[in-house]
Every structure is written in C-alpha cells, then in structure tokens.
Amino acid sequence: MTHDVEQSVMDAMRAPVAIGSERYNTILTFLYHEASLLDNLKISEWGNILATDLLYNIPIRHTRSSRDNAMSVVRTCQHMLDDYRSMLGRIMRLEGNSAWAEDPPSRVRRFITNVLVYETDKADEFLVVSNMLVTRNRFDDDQYDLISGVRTDILRLDEASYKLARREIILDQAVLGTPNLGIFL
Amino acid sequence: MSRNKNELADGTNIADLVRIDTREVQMRTLEDREIYELEQERLFGKTWLMLGHESEIPNSNDFVLRYMGDDSVIVTRTKDGEVHVSLNVCPHRGMKICTTEAGNSPVHTCIYHGWAFRSNGDFLGSPIEKECMHGKIMEKEELGLRKARVTLYGGLIFATWNLEGESFDEFLGDAKWYYDLMFCRSDAGMEVAGPPQRFIVRANWKTAGEQSAADGFHTLMLHRWLGEVGNYKKEGAGSDLAEEMYGAEVSSPHGHALRCIDLARKIRRLTGKEPSELSLEEKLRILPPPGMTAETVDQLKNNLTDDQMEVLAWMPPQVGGMFPNIVFAFIYIPQPDGTVIGSMALHTYVPKGPDKLEFMNWVLVEKDTPPELKEQMVKQTLNLLGTSGMVEQDDSDTWPQMTISAKGPQGSKSTMKYQAIYETSKPKGWPGPGIVNEGFTKDDTQWHWWLYWLELMTAEK
Ligand code: FES
Ligand SMILES: [Fe+2]
C-alpha cells in the first residue's frame, strides 16, 4: 500500500495542477493552515483535519550505495506508522497532563515549500508533494534540531476544505538528530 | 606518568565515585571525558556487545555496519553461514572500508587505494599485484581487518574485543535462564521486523544504561500518562499502573537485570478465574508470550524446562537489560476490546562522547507469528517504543537533563541514590536461579549494574 504513493507520484508527474490556479491555491492554503495549527499547538484542531481512514508513516532511511539507492527508504520497520485511531491516541496523550516529552512544549516552526499538486484517479483526491524543514528548540538549548524531508500527501476534498488522508514523510537523516518524534511533521 | 591506573587526572580515585555503604553514585560519572575514555577501554573494549540480529543478514555476503563503543565494525555473513565482525578501519591508512550501512558483497574494497578484504575480514590483495603495494614487510595474514570474537544467542549477534575473556554464557551467568524465556523459547526463533531505528539523544549513555537495569519505579511518574489516557487507565477513575510495579526482579553480579511482572491480573481479566484454577498449559494458551499464539505455545516445551515454563506463565520477564547498554521490552499490552497484544523490542545505547548517545531500536517478532498479528505487533511497538514511541519519548527527554545536571560544579558532586532496598527474597516456590526479590520494584538491580560498572572500571591494577 505504501508503494502506491510512489507509483501515483510517478503516474501523476504527467499532469501537475498549475501553480497559482485556484485548486493549487486552496491546497497551499490548507498546508499553511495545517502548519500553523501545529506550530501553535492547536493539536486537537489539527486532529479535526485528519480523515478517518488516515495512514501516516515515516520510513527509516538507510545509507546505501548508488546502485542500491532504491533501498535507502525502509518501510519494514519505520520511525512512525499510524492510522486514525492511533493518531487520536497520540493527540489524547498530548492533551493530557503528563506528556513530559512535549511539556514544556518544544518551540517548533514548520517551513513547507516546493509544493506540487497532482490530480489522481479520484476526482476528490489530490496528491500533494512538499518539502519540509522543521526547526525544533527545547528548554534553553542554543541549538536547533533540524528535521528535513519530503512529504507525499493525499488530500481529500471535504465540503469547502480538505482532509489529510495519507502522509508519508521521507526524512533526510539515517540517524535522526532529534531525541524523539513527539511532534507531528 | 606513573599515576595509579584507577585514579583520574585530578587525583580522584574511581572507586570513590561509588559509595558502597550508602549506595550512591556521583553525578560526575555522567559527564566526565576521562571516565568516558576509560569506559571505551574497560567496558566497551571488554564486555560482550549486542550488534543486531542474524535475520538482518540472512544471505551469504550480506553485511550491516554497527558500532562497538566508538569503533565502527562490519557485521557479515560468510558463504559458510558464519557471522563475522571486523573493525571497519583499513589497515593500510585507516580509511573506512565500508561506507554503506548495509548491502551484499563478497569482497569489501577500500575506496582509497583499493586494498580488498573478504567478507570474513581476511586481506585479499592490493591493486597492481606485481607491484606488491602492501609491501613485503608483513605477511598477507597480518594485513586483514581486526576481528572481534562473535557469538550468536537466540539469533542475536554479540561480539567482544576480549578474545580470551569469559564466554558469553559465563557473561550472562544465572540470568541466562531468564533470557532463554524470551530468546530461546520457540522452534523457529525470532526475527527483526526490519533494520533498527536510529536517533541521537544528547545524554551520557549511562543515563539510559542504568535505567535499563530495570528501573521499574520511573514508570509510575515519567510514564504516568499510561494510567491517565493510555492502556492502563482503569474503567471509572484512576490508574492501576502501580499494580504493574509488583512482581519479582532478577539481579546479576554482571549487571544484567530483569523485571518479572505477575500476569495474574491479566489472566483474571481475560478469564474471570484465578490463575491457580488454571493449568500451566491453559494459562499459556490464554495469554501466550508476545508473538506466540494459542497454537504455537505447544513449542515451548520443546525448548524450555518445566520450571522455565512455570515462570513464563506466572511472572515472565517483561522489561530489563543486559550489561552494559541493552534494554529489552517483552510486554503484554491490553487492548480496548479486552484482549492482549504483545510487543517486543531491543535497544542499544551506543556511546557517542560523554554527552551523546545513539538510540538503536530493533522491533522483534517470532518468525512464525501469523502475518496479521505481526503487523499489529509492529505497529503497536512503534507506537509505544523508540523514535515516536509514546512511552519512550519521555525517557529520551529526561536523560539529557541528567547529563546537563552533571556538568554543574555542584551538580557533578551530587549523587544518584539507590537506597530503596529489597527486604524480601524469591517469591514462594520460585524455581529460577539468581538473585531474585519479590514485591514492588526496588533499586537493587540498578545498584548491581553500578557495582559491575565499578568492578570493570577498576579492574586494572
Ligand atoms: S586506506 Fe584503504 S587502501 Fe589505503
Ligand atoms: Fe521509561
């Protein structure tokens, strides 16, 4: 099922939705809005934009030779592998009283760029590829944890807005430089 | 310099960092560069270290890169099926031989000048054979990669630089009886779900290491959310997390530790019956060990003694560690529908300097766990443990703070205390060996971990 996303990226590459078109703009607005919800710790509001059939995963990255580079994305074991129900569990934990890993919360900024939108076989679903740079700072650290990667999303039209139905985040580090993924990407 | 080997540069005796009479350890141990360097020699250069699982390298010439202390090593499977561990340092000028994390190759060729090595580490030759660029001073046999001593245990790959030292079985000692309950119980054995998660925590490796030696107590506070919104939330109000703190703890003079947690409450919940009303077989079928099923529990008697099976059905080891830097979790997680699904994971905390560690997390399943259950187990394990694990996020946020505490001139002189001491002994009728105490989790196992740390750190006379 995870391969479908890559395959659909390939298929979709033919026909990106024009940058600046109305469709593109509404999707870009959705992504910016989503990032701002998370940056501002509106976690349960973020939960409201998740589709009930959500799949959300973060593969492991492996340093492999150029010849084997296809194997640099590992989806057997992953950093994160969630569905709607488990995501609600995470949100519930964060909204509770004892989620120490994010209490006090990290100061996080999500920079979403290079957004490309593709139509899919389904009229109400769009494939959205975006680059992501996340800065995370905790306590009185002078340094930032940087988390960068590419996100492949399926957004589903839901009345006036969209729901996030699928997200895979391919990170750029084989060894993550942040002590946990207690934040959503 | 003719300083006493067990003395630090400022004249502090290493032995004085641990106060035996009051069971205290100086915070300085968590931060000091000199101590860290001694650990590289005296601990990571001496003990058996876990590098992974043989299911990561199933085919001949498969390899993965791992660390033994600060040293990179190549873990390979040769044509004859043997597992070899070689230092990933070219004997020519010190380039890394292998620069990819995993792969398959019968020959490892250094990309600097082209010296080539077989997958068992033997030197094959250097380019332009007739010019003999490896010289004539040393024999080819002397130019191979430095080889570690390797042993496999329940499919886990262990290696040590201590070529003449104790055997792996001696290293485990009495604790082996209990580890067998996890790693050597089924016919087909374990496999990894995939390669390990890897991430950096800016903390001294011992903050994680000493916790692994079965700090049961911290669960109550640090992982309190489990009782508030998680799987241990009681119907109605409150948490029954404290109940999970009762059981038996196994200590080891080698710093290994296991927390054996009573399954009685889970069995009561599943059956409405007292465990004493059920036979051993019934108990195991009702609540099989993680990754096993009512069908596969029949295999247990092929691999374990009756005594071992009794402990497995009564108070199986669920969390604990192996000295110096391994933690295991073999846990039974209650589901919303009242059933139980197991999770199994192993971590190592690889030292990366006095204030940095690499957290490696392998997710395990039984080879013959049915595919659907495998998938559920992997998902649940990733949800609770490791990088994004809702439980272990809190640990990885705590250890850096302890490390920072140890940097303060006053903080470094502060101590960690292990003064909650068992006043019990083995549970009545307990058939297992070793130092075993019953009741609410106490500090003994972690204290034994520090005693073994001290023993190795002061071993050089
Ligand atoms: S350093 Fe490896 S061949 Fe020269
Ligand atoms: Fe913990």
Side-chain angles (χ1 to χ4, degrees), chain B residues 90-97 110-117 127:
Chain B
C90 183
H92 180 221
R93 301 274 161 81
M95 170 65 183
K96 255 189 180 178
I97 307 283
C110 178
I111 59 163
Y112 199 177
H113 311 90
W115 282 29
F117 305 86

Side-chain angles (χ1 to χ4, degrees), chain A residues 1 60-68 74 76-83 85-87 89-94 96-104 138-141 143-145 174-183, chain B residues 64 66 99-104 193-202 221-225 228-229 335-336 358-359 361-363 375 378-379 382-394 396-398 400-401 404:
Chain A
M1 134 253 310
I60 286 173
R61 294 304 304 275
H62 243 189
T63 305
R64 301 295 294 244
S65 65
S66 301
R67 185 171 44 106
D68 289 345
V74 178
T76 45
C77 185
Q78 311 207 35
H79 286 297
M80 204 159 159
L81 179 57
D82 277 80
D83 56 23
R85 196 174 70 88
S86 64
M87 212 50 130
R90 291 181 183 277
I91 292 169
M92 218 196 313
R93 174 183 126 90
L94 285 167
N97 294 323
S98 312
W100 307 125
E102 274 298 309
D103 188 5
R138 275 184 81 52
F139 304 112
D140 42 15
D141 288 355
Q143 65 195 347
Y144 293 93
D145 293 350
V175 182
L176 302 192
T178 196
N180 58 54
L181 286 177
I183 56 170
Chain B
V64 289
R66 292 291 138 84
T99 51
T100 61
E101 213 172 325
N104 180 287
Q197 298 174 337
R198 303 173 63 194
F199 55 99
I200 295 294
V201 183
R202 287 185 194 86
M221 183 64 199
L222 190 65
H223 305 312
R224 191 170 70 184
W225 73 274
E228 293 173 347
V229 295
Q335 305 296 305
E358 182 182 321
F359 191 132
N361 175 28
W362 289 263
V363 175
E375 210 175 290
V378 172
K379 238 176 135 229
L382 298 178
N383 208 241
L384 292 174
L385 307 176
T387 325
S388 67
M390 288 190 284
V391 174
E392 289 187 323
Q393 287 176 24
D394 294 330
S396 61
D397 203 48
T398 298
Q401 307 281 15
I404 290 167

Side-chain angles (χ1 to χ4, degrees), chain A residues 37-49:
Chain A
L37 287 178
L38 289 170
D39 286 355
N40 292 296
L41 304 173
K42 300 208 166 23
I43 308 294
S44 56
E45 283 181 44
W46 180 72
N48 294 336
I49 65 156

Side-chain angles (χ1 to χ4, degrees), chain B residues 4 44 56 76 78 82 141 153 161 177 181 207 257 262 265 338 340 352 408 438 451 453:
Chain B
N4 176 340
F44 293 95
E56 294 181 80
T76 58
T78 48
E82 299 271 301
E141 288 70 40
Y153 169 68
W161 297 119
W177 194 92
L181 301 181
T207 58
D262 204 330
R265 287 169 350 104
V340 169
K352 296 274 162 198
E438 181 185 23
L451 289 181
W453 178 87

Side-chain angles (χ1 to χ4, degrees), chain A residues 126-140:
Chain A
F126 299 88
L127 184 95
V128 182
V129 181
S130 59
N131 284 1
M132 165 203 85
L133 177 66
V134 176
T135 61
R136 183 186 197 189
N137 182 262
R138 275 184 81 52
F139 304 112
D140 42 15

